[in-house]
Amino acid sequence: MLMSLGLFIFTTSTIPFQSEADSTGWKHPTNARVGMRPAHQFTGKDEATKVLSGTLYPEITGGMVTLNMLHYMADTGAAWPLIRGNGWYEGLWLITDIQTTRTLTFDNGQARQIDFSMTLKKTDDYSLIGEVTDYLLSFL
């Protein structure tokens, strides 16, 4: 297991992402001062984002079926716990964007290669936690 997002498990047979990019910021608003540089005040953490991307080969790895499962999770608007394969808990994350590019198609239009990118945003709002029932009902 590479990582899990809620009930979705990232493995080499589902969606093996090849890269993971993180971005974290901190807020320092300013106040103008006469004859001096602006004063800065630290007010806390800003948004944290994570981008998982990679290439799928449906003959070997997951394809649109597994990507659609992530689309259903995103449709719930819920926050999902992100846990690494080594057991490290990363917190609650929202799926905010999924991009796919399908290339090298077969005669029937099925893609031989699917490049994907998924953007997650960290949240501290525990009222958004996705429930198993919400996730399962999204498939109906």
Side-chain angles (χ1 to χ4, degrees), residues 46-69:
D46 205 353
E47 285 192 328
T49 60
K50 183 179 294 290
V51 178
L52 303 175
S53 58
T55 301
L56 304 177
Y57 298 96
E59 297 170 310
I60 302 168
T61 61
M64 287 308 297
V65 172
T66 50
L67 281 171
N68 283 340
M69 291 170 63

Side-chain angles (χ1 to χ4, degrees), residues 79-121:
W80 302 97
L82 185 67
I83 302 170
R84 295 195 167 278
N86 63 4
W88 185 263
Y89 175 68
E90 295 273 332
L92 294 176
W93 295 78
L94 302 163
I95 302 172
T96 60
D97 184 63
I98 298 174
Q99 296 179 9
T100 56
T101 303
R102 293 171 288 287
T103 56
L104 304 172
T105 56
F106 289 107
D107 292 340
N108 64 0
Q110 294 290 331
R112 291 181 188 171
Q113 178 178 326
I114 302 169
D115 295 310
F116 74 92
S117 175
M118 180 171 71
T119 304
L120 306 172
K121 285 193 180 178

Side-chain angles (χ1 to χ4, degrees), residues 8-16 56 61-63 66:
F8 187 86
I9 308 296
F10 291 90
T11 66
T12 54
S13 61
T14 58
I15 296 185
L56 304 177
T61 61
T66 50

Side-chain angles (χ1 to χ4, degrees), residues 69 71-73 75-76 132-140:
M69 291 170 63
H71 280 94
Y72 290 131
M73 289 173 66
D75 287 344
T76 67
V132 173
T133 52
D134 295 340
Y135 178 68
L136 295 175
L137 288 175
S138 69
F139 287 103
L140 300 177

